[in-house]
Amino acid sequence: MAFWNKNVPNSSSSSSSKCFPILGLLSLILLHPTTTTTTTSFANAIQKPTYDDIPSFREAPAFRNGNSCSSRDVDKIQIVMPVDANYIRGTMAAVLSILQHSTCPENTSIHFLSIHLEPEIISLINSTFPYLSYKIYHFHPNRVRGKISKSIRQALDQPLNYARIYLSDILPEGVHRVIYLDSDIIVVDDIAKLWGVDLGDKVLAAPEYCHANFTNYFTDTFWSDVNLVKTFEGRRPCYFNTGVMVMDLDEWRKGGYAQKIEEWMLIQKQRIIYQLGSLPPILLVFAGNIKAVDHRWNQHGLGGDNLEGKCRGLHPGPISLLHWSGKGKPWLRLDARKPCTIDYLWAPYDLYRSSRIALEE
């Protein structure tokens, strides 16, 4: 059920925009890579900060559609993102990047998922993006009570991480297709290009990484059980990152995929067959059976590994989306004055009112 619905179409206010020096920064990153290191119970897993922890933000520029943009609801781009006080700084930067690089920014509709539904969060979104069309939906943590197993990093155990599994239940049936995005991303291309991916007969589309060692995503307990391994029969399973996905919610609902993923979560509670939160059960259901998307749409791993958060450089090739998956988050490293070079690509989109990070530093 939607807790808040904000829709301000066709506002008459003037258009404004600000072009950030992304190309120059990309050159800096590519020429000067960095390799330095920066250093339960269910109730405790739900991190609820105090209101004093919620930051304030500058108002974003107003990005408006051009004359060639459609005004039909059917042409709206539906984007889903989690939002909470711990990651809202990343969410705000992500939304700004999406709107800034969109040809038709007013055709973007955001669906936020939240556990706590703080009024302060709603107020921040309204004041930062007063023209944004969005809704907020409540994800009740009881939905995954008793189903989450401890992983290698506490952040991966948060119930909100599992909300992406239940989108077909959370969103209205009138929302047929969505792009799911994590909060630690920056889009530097027109999101309409990703929206336009042809799913064919697939339920899910994402960049696929078949060169990655797929066995690392599951434990020896899994690989030593012939019956469990049979789930991949008839498929060539490849790793994909679940922080960037195009999803057909109608087919997800028809196929009962939330229930199929839950079945693996319950097996995990008994056997310990993986250690990476909500990612492995989705891989168990979908790996080897998705629509592959160009790698440019998820330059992931920029937050380093899940334990140390070591700095990483960019993968070779064109870039449309930067993703700070892993332990290290750019806003935390920048505030600590121990940033990785790659974090300076995130900084221009930071609307945090108290930010003192300068690109010259």
Side-chain angles (χ1 to χ4, degrees):
M1 178 181 295
F3 176 82
W4 185 269
N5 182 356
K6 173 83 182 301
N7 194 340
V8 188
N10 300 323
S11 172
S12 60
S13 62
S14 61
S15 171
S16 65
S17 64
K18 182 177 181 181
C19 294
F20 295 118
I22 190 72
L23 294 179
L25 286 170
L26 282 171
S27 299
L28 173 67
I29 302 299
L30 293 172
L31 291 174
H32 302 286
T34 306
T35 57
T36 57
T37 302
T38 58
T39 53
T40 40
S41 70
F42 184 79
N44 290 335
I46 305 174
Q47 298 176 349
K48 184 175 181 180
T50 64
Y51 293 145
D52 292 338
D53 294 329
I54 299 178
S56 60
F57 298 90
R58 301 185 299 276
E59 182 178 327
F63 300 98
R64 302 302 186 190
N65 282 356
N67 293 331
S68 62
C69 295
S70 170
S71 59
R72 301 184 307 167
D73 286 343
V74 70
D75 293 321
K76 295 283 187 182
I77 299 174
Q78 310 289 344
I79 298 173
V80 179
M81 299 184 69
V83 61
D84 68 7
N86 294 303
Y87 279 79
I88 191 169
R89 191 165 163 190
T91 301
M92 294 296 199
V95 172
L96 174 61
S97 72
I98 293 167
L99 297 175
Q100 179 185 321
H101 295 286
S102 293
T103 302
C104 302
E106 291 181 285
N107 288 2
T108 300
S109 183
I110 308 289
H111 303 266
F112 292 114
L113 308 176
S114 180
I115 285 180
H116 302 299
L117 294 176
E118 297 98 335
E120 287 80 3
I121 294 291
I122 296 171
S123 178
L124 279 179
I125 296 173
N126 288 339
S127 61
T128 307
F129 298 102
Y131 48 86
L132 183 66
S133 172
Y134 77 90
K135 295 181 181 179
I136 296 184
Y137 301 84
H138 182 223
F139 178 69
H140 203 292
N142 282 345
R143 187 66 187 263
V144 290
R145 183 181 293 274
K147 299 172 186 174
I148 297 178
S149 301
K150 186 176 181 180
S151 63
I152 62 174
R153 185 161 60 92
Q154 185 180 6
L156 300 177
D157 301 336
Q158 298 302 307
L160 194 57
N161 267 342
Y162 291 80
R164 71 197 78 189
I165 297 169
Y166 303 100
L167 296 185
S168 63
D169 299 329
I170 298 170
L171 301 183
E173 291 191 4
V175 180
H176 306 288
R177 173 186 174 118
V178 299
I179 298 174
Y180 177 87
L181 298 174
D182 276 345
S183 297
D184 51 0
I185 62 97
I186 290 295
V187 176
V188 293
D189 201 348
D190 191 346
I191 197 69
K193 297 176 183 178
L194 181 59
W195 179 252
V197 168
D198 182 6
L199 283 170
D201 62 349
K202 305 301 182 184
V203 180
L204 188 156
E208 200 174 38
Y209 303 91
C210 293
H211 65 277
N213 187 349
F214 192 75
T215 60
N216 289 340
Y217 295 95
F218 303 95
T219 65
D220 291 340
T221 299
F222 174 83
W223 293 114
S224 62
D225 190 313
V226 175
N227 292 321
L228 294 179
V229 175
K230 280 183 179 178
T231 190
F232 292 125
E233 282 188 356
R235 294 189 271 163
R236 185 199 172 194
C238 295
Y239 163 74
F240 64 93
N241 182 281
T242 56
V244 179
M245 300 184 289
V246 182
M247 306 169 66
D248 185 329
L249 297 189
D250 291 336
E251 293 302 318
W252 189 286
R253 189 178 296 110
K254 290 177 185 177
Y257 287 105
Q259 291 72 31
K260 292 177 181 179
I261 294 170
E262 280 186 336
E263 289 172 5
W264 283 109
M265 292 165 64
L266 294 176
I267 292 174
Q268 160 72 0
K269 294 290 289 186
Q270 302 167 357
R271 303 285 303 277
I272 310 299
I273 58 175
Y274 56 79
Q275 294 181 319
L276 288 172
S278 63
L279 167 65
I282 298 177
L283 292 179
L284 285 163
V285 174
F286 285 105
N289 192 28
I290 70 170
K291 174 70 174 183
V293 175
D294 194 297
H295 289 178
R296 69 189 301 152
W297 283 105
N298 196 349
Q299 278 266 347
H300 67 288
L302 302 183
D305 57 33
N306 280 299
L307 297 176
E308 299 181 71
K310 292 181 178 180
C311 293
R312 290 181 178 175
L314 294 171
H315 308 296
I319 300 169
S320 294
L321 184 148
L322 299 158
H323 187 187
W324 278 261
S325 58
K327 184 178 180 180
K329 302 306 172 189
W331 56 93
L332 297 178
R333 297 193 296 212
L334 286 163
D335 282 356
R337 305 235 176 231
K338 295 180 180 179
C340 299
T341 308
I342 196 72
D343 297 338
Y344 288 103
L345 293 180
W346 182 90
Y349 300 94
D350 185 13
L351 292 169
Y352 181 40
R353 189 178 296 277
S354 300
S355 177
R356 298 188 181 92
I357 302 300
L359 295 178
E360 298 80 23
E361 294 180 351

Short mmCIF file of all heavy atoms in Angstrom, two decimals, residues 197-210 214 234-242 244-247 252 257 279 282-295 298:
data_model
loop_
_atom_site.label_atom_id
_atom_site.label_comp_id
_atom_site.label_asym_id
_atom_site.label_seq_id
_atom_site.Cartn_x
_atom_site.Cartn_y
_atom_site.Cartn_z
N VAL A 197 15.16 -2.00 -22.93
CA VAL A 197 15.67 -3.35 -23.16
C VAL A 197 14.52 -4.31 -23.46
O VAL A 197 13.49 -4.31 -22.78
CB VAL A 197 16.46 -3.85 -21.92
CG1 VAL A 197 16.74 -5.34 -22.01
CG2 VAL A 197 17.76 -3.08 -21.79
N ASP A 198 14.68 -5.11 -24.51
CA ASP A 198 13.67 -6.10 -24.88
C ASP A 198 13.88 -7.36 -24.03
O ASP A 198 14.87 -8.07 -24.19
CB ASP A 198 13.79 -6.44 -26.36
CG ASP A 198 12.74 -7.43 -26.83
OD1 ASP A 198 11.84 -7.78 -26.03
OD2 ASP A 198 12.81 -7.86 -28.00
N LEU A 199 12.94 -7.63 -23.14
CA LEU A 199 13.06 -8.80 -22.27
C LEU A 199 12.79 -10.11 -23.00
O LEU A 199 13.18 -11.17 -22.52
CB LEU A 199 12.08 -8.67 -21.09
CG LEU A 199 12.48 -7.72 -19.97
CD1 LEU A 199 11.31 -7.51 -19.01
CD2 LEU A 199 13.68 -8.23 -19.21
N GLY A 200 12.12 -10.03 -24.14
CA GLY A 200 11.77 -11.28 -24.84
C GLY A 200 10.88 -12.13 -23.96
O GLY A 200 9.87 -11.67 -23.43
N ASP A 201 11.28 -13.38 -23.77
CA ASP A 201 10.50 -14.28 -22.92
C ASP A 201 11.07 -14.37 -21.50
O ASP A 201 10.70 -15.25 -20.73
CB ASP A 201 10.43 -15.67 -23.53
CG ASP A 201 11.80 -16.33 -23.68
OD1 ASP A 201 12.82 -15.63 -23.49
OD2 ASP A 201 11.86 -17.54 -23.98
N LYS A 202 11.97 -13.45 -21.15
CA LYS A 202 12.61 -13.47 -19.84
C LYS A 202 11.85 -12.59 -18.85
O LYS A 202 11.17 -11.63 -19.22
CB LYS A 202 14.06 -13.01 -19.92
CG LYS A 202 14.91 -13.81 -20.92
CD LYS A 202 14.94 -15.29 -20.59
CE LYS A 202 15.82 -16.04 -21.57
NZ LYS A 202 15.79 -17.51 -21.33
N VAL A 203 12.00 -12.90 -17.58
CA VAL A 203 11.35 -12.15 -16.51
C VAL A 203 12.24 -11.02 -16.02
O VAL A 203 11.76 -10.01 -15.52
CB VAL A 203 11.01 -13.10 -15.33
CG1 VAL A 203 10.34 -12.35 -14.18
CG2 VAL A 203 10.13 -14.24 -15.79
N LEU A 204 13.52 -11.16 -16.22
CA LEU A 204 14.50 -10.26 -15.61
C LEU A 204 15.63 -10.00 -16.59
O LEU A 204 16.06 -10.90 -17.32
CB LEU A 204 15.03 -10.91 -14.33
CG LEU A 204 15.92 -10.16 -13.37
CD1 LEU A 204 15.79 -10.77 -11.98
CD2 LEU A 204 17.38 -10.25 -13.80
N ALA A 205 16.13 -8.75 -16.61
CA ALA A 205 17.29 -8.38 -17.42
C ALA A 205 18.30 -7.68 -16.54
O ALA A 205 17.95 -6.89 -15.65
CB ALA A 205 16.88 -7.47 -18.57
N ALA A 206 19.58 -7.98 -16.76
CA ALA A 206 20.66 -7.37 -15.99
C ALA A 206 21.98 -7.67 -16.70
O ALA A 206 22.07 -8.64 -17.46
CB ALA A 206 20.70 -7.93 -14.56
N PRO A 207 23.01 -6.87 -16.45
CA PRO A 207 24.34 -7.24 -16.95
C PRO A 207 24.77 -8.57 -16.35
O PRO A 207 24.61 -8.80 -15.15
CB PRO A 207 25.23 -6.09 -16.46
CG PRO A 207 24.30 -4.93 -16.32
CD PRO A 207 23.02 -5.53 -15.83
N GLU A 208 25.31 -9.43 -17.18
CA GLU A 208 25.68 -10.78 -16.78
C GLU A 208 27.19 -10.93 -16.86
O GLU A 208 27.81 -10.45 -17.80
CB GLU A 208 24.99 -11.77 -17.72
CG GLU A 208 24.85 -13.18 -17.21
CD GLU A 208 24.01 -14.02 -18.17
OE1 GLU A 208 24.14 -13.85 -19.40
OE2 GLU A 208 23.23 -14.85 -17.70
N TYR A 209 27.78 -11.61 -15.86
CA TYR A 209 29.24 -11.72 -15.79
C TYR A 209 29.64 -13.19 -15.74
O TYR A 209 29.84 -13.77 -14.66
CB TYR A 209 29.76 -10.96 -14.56
CG TYR A 209 29.34 -9.50 -14.58
CD1 TYR A 209 28.15 -9.09 -13.98
CD2 TYR A 209 30.12 -8.54 -15.24
CE1 TYR A 209 27.76 -7.76 -14.02
CE2 TYR A 209 29.73 -7.21 -15.28
CZ TYR A 209 28.55 -6.84 -14.67
OH TYR A 209 28.16 -5.52 -14.72
N CYS A 210 29.77 -13.78 -16.92
CA CYS A 210 30.03 -15.22 -17.00
C CYS A 210 31.51 -15.54 -16.75
O CYS A 210 31.85 -16.71 -16.57
CB CYS A 210 29.59 -15.76 -18.36
SG CYS A 210 27.78 -15.71 -18.59
N PHE A 214 31.56 -18.51 -10.48
CA PHE A 214 30.22 -18.65 -9.93
C PHE A 214 30.20 -19.51 -8.67
O PHE A 214 29.34 -19.33 -7.80
CB PHE A 214 29.30 -19.25 -10.99
CG PHE A 214 27.84 -19.19 -10.64
CD1 PHE A 214 27.14 -18.00 -10.73
CD2 PHE A 214 27.16 -20.33 -10.22
CE1 PHE A 214 25.79 -17.93 -10.42
CE2 PHE A 214 25.81 -20.27 -9.89
CZ PHE A 214 25.13 -19.07 -9.99
N GLY A 234 20.32 -27.71 -17.17
CA GLY A 234 19.72 -27.06 -18.32
C GLY A 234 20.02 -25.58 -18.42
O GLY A 234 19.53 -24.90 -19.32
N ARG A 235 20.83 -25.06 -17.48
CA ARG A 235 21.21 -23.65 -17.50
C ARG A 235 22.72 -23.51 -17.44
O ARG A 235 23.40 -24.38 -16.91
CB ARG A 235 20.63 -22.91 -16.28
CG ARG A 235 19.14 -22.79 -16.22
CD ARG A 235 18.74 -21.86 -15.08
NE ARG A 235 18.57 -22.53 -13.80
CZ ARG A 235 18.55 -21.91 -12.63
NH1 ARG A 235 18.76 -20.62 -12.57
NH2 ARG A 235 18.36 -22.58 -11.51
N ARG A 236 23.22 -22.42 -18.00
CA ARG A 236 24.62 -22.05 -17.78
C ARG A 236 24.61 -20.87 -16.82
O ARG A 236 24.50 -19.72 -17.23
CB ARG A 236 25.30 -21.67 -19.08
CG ARG A 236 26.79 -21.39 -18.90
CD ARG A 236 27.37 -20.58 -20.04
NE ARG A 236 28.74 -20.17 -19.75
CZ ARG A 236 29.40 -19.24 -20.42
NH1 ARG A 236 28.81 -18.61 -21.42
NH2 ARG A 236 30.63 -18.92 -20.09
N PRO A 237 24.70 -21.14 -15.52
CA PRO A 237 24.53 -20.05 -14.55
C PRO A 237 25.71 -19.08 -14.57
O PRO A 237 26.87 -19.49 -14.54
CB PRO A 237 24.45 -20.79 -13.22
CG PRO A 237 25.20 -22.07 -13.43
CD PRO A 237 24.95 -22.44 -14.87
N CYS A 238 25.39 -17.81 -14.62
CA CYS A 238 26.39 -16.75 -14.55
C CYS A 238 25.98 -15.76 -13.47
O CYS A 238 24.79 -15.55 -13.21
CB CYS A 238 26.49 -16.00 -15.88
SG CYS A 238 27.09 -17.01 -17.27
N TYR A 239 26.96 -15.14 -12.87
CA TYR A 239 26.69 -14.13 -11.85
C TYR A 239 26.08 -12.89 -12.48
O TYR A 239 26.46 -12.45 -13.57
CB TYR A 239 28.00 -13.75 -11.15
CG TYR A 239 27.92 -12.46 -10.37
CD1 TYR A 239 27.22 -12.39 -9.16
CD2 TYR A 239 28.52 -11.30 -10.85
CE1 TYR A 239 27.13 -11.21 -8.45
CE2 TYR A 239 28.44 -10.11 -10.14
CZ TYR A 239 27.74 -10.07 -8.95
OH TYR A 239 27.66 -8.90 -8.26
N PHE A 240 25.10 -12.31 -11.80
CA PHE A 240 24.64 -10.96 -12.11
C PHE A 240 24.36 -10.25 -10.79
O PHE A 240 24.03 -10.87 -9.78
CB PHE A 240 23.40 -10.96 -13.02
CG PHE A 240 22.17 -11.57 -12.42
CD1 PHE A 240 21.23 -10.81 -11.74
CD2 PHE A 240 21.92 -12.94 -12.56
CE1 PHE A 240 20.09 -11.37 -11.20
CE2 PHE A 240 20.78 -13.51 -12.03
CZ PHE A 240 19.86 -12.73 -11.34
N ASN A 241 24.52 -8.93 -10.81
CA ASN A 241 24.33 -8.13 -9.60
C ASN A 241 22.88 -7.68 -9.53
O ASN A 241 22.35 -7.11 -10.48
CB ASN A 241 25.28 -6.92 -9.64
CG ASN A 241 25.18 -6.06 -8.40
OD1 ASN A 241 24.25 -5.27 -8.27
ND2 ASN A 241 26.14 -6.20 -7.51
N THR A 242 22.23 -7.92 -8.38
CA THR A 242 20.80 -7.63 -8.26
C THR A 242 20.51 -6.19 -7.89
O THR A 242 19.35 -5.84 -7.62
CB THR A 242 20.18 -8.57 -7.20
OG1 THR A 242 20.88 -8.42 -5.96
CG2 THR A 242 20.26 -10.01 -7.66
N VAL A 244 20.89 -3.73 -10.01
CA VAL A 244 20.41 -3.10 -11.23
C VAL A 244 19.68 -4.17 -12.04
O VAL A 244 20.32 -5.07 -12.61
CB VAL A 244 21.56 -2.50 -12.07
CG1 VAL A 244 21.02 -1.86 -13.35
CG2 VAL A 244 22.35 -1.48 -11.26
N MET A 245 18.36 -4.08 -12.08
CA MET A 245 17.57 -5.10 -12.79
C MET A 245 16.37 -4.46 -13.47
O MET A 245 15.73 -3.57 -12.91
CB MET A 245 17.06 -6.17 -11.82
CG MET A 245 18.12 -6.94 -11.06
SD MET A 245 17.41 -8.27 -10.03
CE MET A 245 16.59 -7.30 -8.73
N VAL A 246 16.07 -4.94 -14.66
CA VAL A 246 14.79 -4.65 -15.31
C VAL A 246 13.90 -5.86 -15.07
O VAL A 246 14.30 -6.99 -15.35
CB VAL A 246 14.96 -4.40 -16.82
CG1 VAL A 246 13.61 -4.05 -17.47
CG2 VAL A 246 15.98 -3.29 -17.08
N MET A 247 12.69 -5.63 -14.54
CA MET A 247 11.86 -6.74 -14.09
C MET A 247 10.46 -6.64 -14.67
O MET A 247 9.83 -5.58 -14.65
CB MET A 247 11.78 -6.72 -12.55
CG MET A 247 13.13 -6.72 -11.86
SD MET A 247 13.03 -6.37 -10.06
CE MET A 247 12.16 -7.83 -9.48
N TRP A 252 6.66 -12.08 -13.13
CA TRP A 252 7.17 -12.44 -11.80
C TRP A 252 6.02 -12.95 -10.93
O TRP A 252 6.14 -13.96 -10.25
CB TRP A 252 7.81 -11.21 -11.16
CG TRP A 252 8.56 -11.46 -9.89
CD1 TRP A 252 8.02 -11.73 -8.66
CD2 TRP A 252 9.98 -11.46 -9.70
NE1 TRP A 252 9.01 -11.89 -7.73
CE2 TRP A 252 10.22 -11.73 -8.33
CE3 TRP A 252 11.06 -11.25 -10.55
CZ2 TRP A 252 11.52 -11.78 -7.80
CZ3 TRP A 252 12.35 -11.30 -10.03
CH2 TRP A 252 12.57 -11.57 -8.67
N TYR A 257 7.60 -16.24 -8.41
CA TYR A 257 9.04 -16.23 -8.18
C TYR A 257 9.41 -15.80 -6.76
O TYR A 257 10.45 -16.23 -6.23
CB TYR A 257 9.74 -15.34 -9.21
CG TYR A 257 9.78 -16.00 -10.57
CD1 TYR A 257 8.93 -15.58 -11.59
CD2 TYR A 257 10.64 -17.06 -10.82
CE1 TYR A 257 8.95 -16.19 -12.84
CE2 TYR A 257 10.67 -17.69 -12.06
CZ TYR A 257 9.82 -17.25 -13.06
OH TYR A 257 9.83 -17.87 -14.29
N LEU A 279 21.26 -11.82 -2.48
CA LEU A 279 21.75 -12.13 -3.82
C LEU A 279 21.68 -13.61 -4.18
O LEU A 279 21.09 -13.97 -5.21
CB LEU A 279 23.19 -11.61 -3.99
CG LEU A 279 23.97 -12.11 -5.21
CD1 LEU A 279 23.33 -11.62 -6.50
CD2 LEU A 279 25.43 -11.69 -5.13
N ILE A 282 18.32 -15.32 -5.27
CA ILE A 282 17.87 -14.84 -6.57
C ILE A 282 18.69 -15.50 -7.68
O ILE A 282 18.16 -15.89 -8.73
CB ILE A 282 17.96 -13.31 -6.65
CG1 ILE A 282 17.04 -12.68 -5.60
CG2 ILE A 282 17.59 -12.81 -8.04
CD1 ILE A 282 17.10 -11.16 -5.53
N LEU A 283 19.99 -15.66 -7.46
CA LEU A 283 20.82 -16.36 -8.43
C LEU A 283 20.36 -17.80 -8.61
O LEU A 283 20.34 -18.33 -9.74
CB LEU A 283 22.29 -16.35 -7.99
CG LEU A 283 23.03 -15.00 -7.99
CD1 LEU A 283 24.46 -15.19 -7.50
CD2 LEU A 283 23.02 -14.38 -9.38
N LEU A 284 19.98 -18.44 -7.53
CA LEU A 284 19.55 -19.84 -7.61
C LEU A 284 18.33 -20.00 -8.49
O LEU A 284 18.16 -21.02 -9.18
CB LEU A 284 19.26 -20.37 -6.20
CG LEU A 284 20.49 -20.67 -5.35
CD1 LEU A 284 20.11 -20.78 -3.88
CD2 LEU A 284 21.16 -21.96 -5.82
N VAL A 285 17.48 -19.00 -8.52
CA VAL A 285 16.26 -19.07 -9.32
C VAL A 285 16.49 -18.59 -10.75
O VAL A 285 15.95 -19.17 -11.70
CB VAL A 285 15.14 -18.26 -8.65
CG1 VAL A 285 13.90 -18.19 -9.55
CG2 VAL A 285 14.77 -18.86 -7.30
N PHE A 286 17.33 -17.56 -10.93
CA PHE A 286 17.40 -16.90 -12.23
C PHE A 286 18.72 -17.04 -12.98
O PHE A 286 18.75 -16.81 -14.20
CB PHE A 286 17.10 -15.41 -12.07
CG PHE A 286 15.66 -15.10 -11.85
CD1 PHE A 286 15.20 -14.75 -10.59
CD2 PHE A 286 14.75 -15.15 -12.89
CE1 PHE A 286 13.86 -14.46 -10.37
CE2 PHE A 286 13.41 -14.86 -12.70
CZ PHE A 286 12.96 -14.52 -11.44
N ALA A 287 19.82 -17.37 -12.32
CA ALA A 287 21.12 -17.39 -13.01
C ALA A 287 21.07 -18.32 -14.22
O ALA A 287 20.65 -19.47 -14.12
CB ALA A 287 22.22 -17.81 -12.05
N GLY A 288 21.49 -17.80 -15.36
CA GLY A 288 21.46 -18.57 -16.59
C GLY A 288 20.14 -18.49 -17.32
O GLY A 288 19.96 -19.12 -18.37
N ASN A 289 19.21 -17.69 -16.80
CA ASN A 289 17.90 -17.58 -17.43
C ASN A 289 17.40 -16.14 -17.38
O ASN A 289 16.24 -15.87 -17.06
CB ASN A 289 16.88 -18.51 -16.75
CG ASN A 289 15.59 -18.64 -17.55
OD1 ASN A 289 15.59 -18.50 -18.77
ND2 ASN A 289 14.49 -18.88 -16.86
N ILE A 290 18.30 -15.20 -17.70
CA ILE A 290 17.93 -13.79 -17.74
C ILE A 290 18.31 -13.21 -19.10
O ILE A 290 19.05 -13.82 -19.87
CB ILE A 290 18.63 -12.97 -16.62
CG1 ILE A 290 20.14 -12.85 -16.90
CG2 ILE A 290 18.36 -13.58 -15.27
CD1 ILE A 290 20.84 -11.86 -15.98
N LYS A 291 17.79 -12.03 -19.39
CA LYS A 291 18.19 -11.29 -20.58
C LYS A 291 19.46 -10.50 -20.25
O LYS A 291 19.45 -9.66 -19.33
CB LYS A 291 17.08 -10.33 -21.00
CG LYS A 291 17.45 -9.40 -22.14
CD LYS A 291 17.58 -10.15 -23.45
CE LYS A 291 17.82 -9.17 -24.61
NZ LYS A 291 17.87 -9.86 -25.91
N ALA A 292 20.53 -10.78 -20.94
CA ALA A 292 21.79 -10.11 -20.66
C ALA A 292 21.77 -8.68 -21.19
O ALA A 292 21.33 -8.42 -22.32
CB ALA A 292 22.95 -10.88 -21.27
N VAL A 293 22.24 -7.75 -20.35
CA VAL A 293 22.31 -6.34 -20.69
C VAL A 293 23.78 -5.94 -20.77
O VAL A 293 24.63 -6.54 -20.10
CB VAL A 293 21.58 -5.50 -19.62
CG1 VAL A 293 21.74 -4.01 -19.88
CG2 VAL A 293 20.10 -5.86 -19.58
N ASP A 294 24.07 -4.94 -21.59
CA ASP A 294 25.45 -4.46 -21.72
C ASP A 294 26.04 -4.12 -20.35
O ASP A 294 25.38 -3.52 -19.50
CB ASP A 294 25.48 -3.21 -22.61
CG ASP A 294 26.88 -2.86 -23.08
OD1 ASP A 294 27.74 -2.55 -22.23
OD2 ASP A 294 27.12 -2.91 -24.30
N HIS A 295 27.30 -4.50 -20.16
CA HIS A 295 27.99 -4.28 -18.88
C HIS A 295 28.06 -2.81 -18.50
O HIS A 295 28.25 -2.49 -17.31
CB HIS A 295 29.41 -4.86 -18.94
CG HIS A 295 29.43 -6.34 -18.94
ND1 HIS A 295 30.61 -7.05 -19.02
CD2 HIS A 295 28.44 -7.26 -18.86
CE1 HIS A 295 30.34 -8.36 -19.00
NE2 HIS A 295 29.04 -8.50 -18.91
N ASN A 298 26.14 -1.51 -15.37
CA ASN A 298 26.44 -1.79 -13.96
C ASN A 298 27.93 -1.95 -13.75
O ASN A 298 28.45 -3.07 -13.69
CB ASN A 298 25.70 -3.04 -13.46
CG ASN A 298 25.67 -3.13 -11.95
OD1 ASN A 298 26.36 -2.39 -11.26
ND2 ASN A 298 24.89 -4.05 -11.41
#
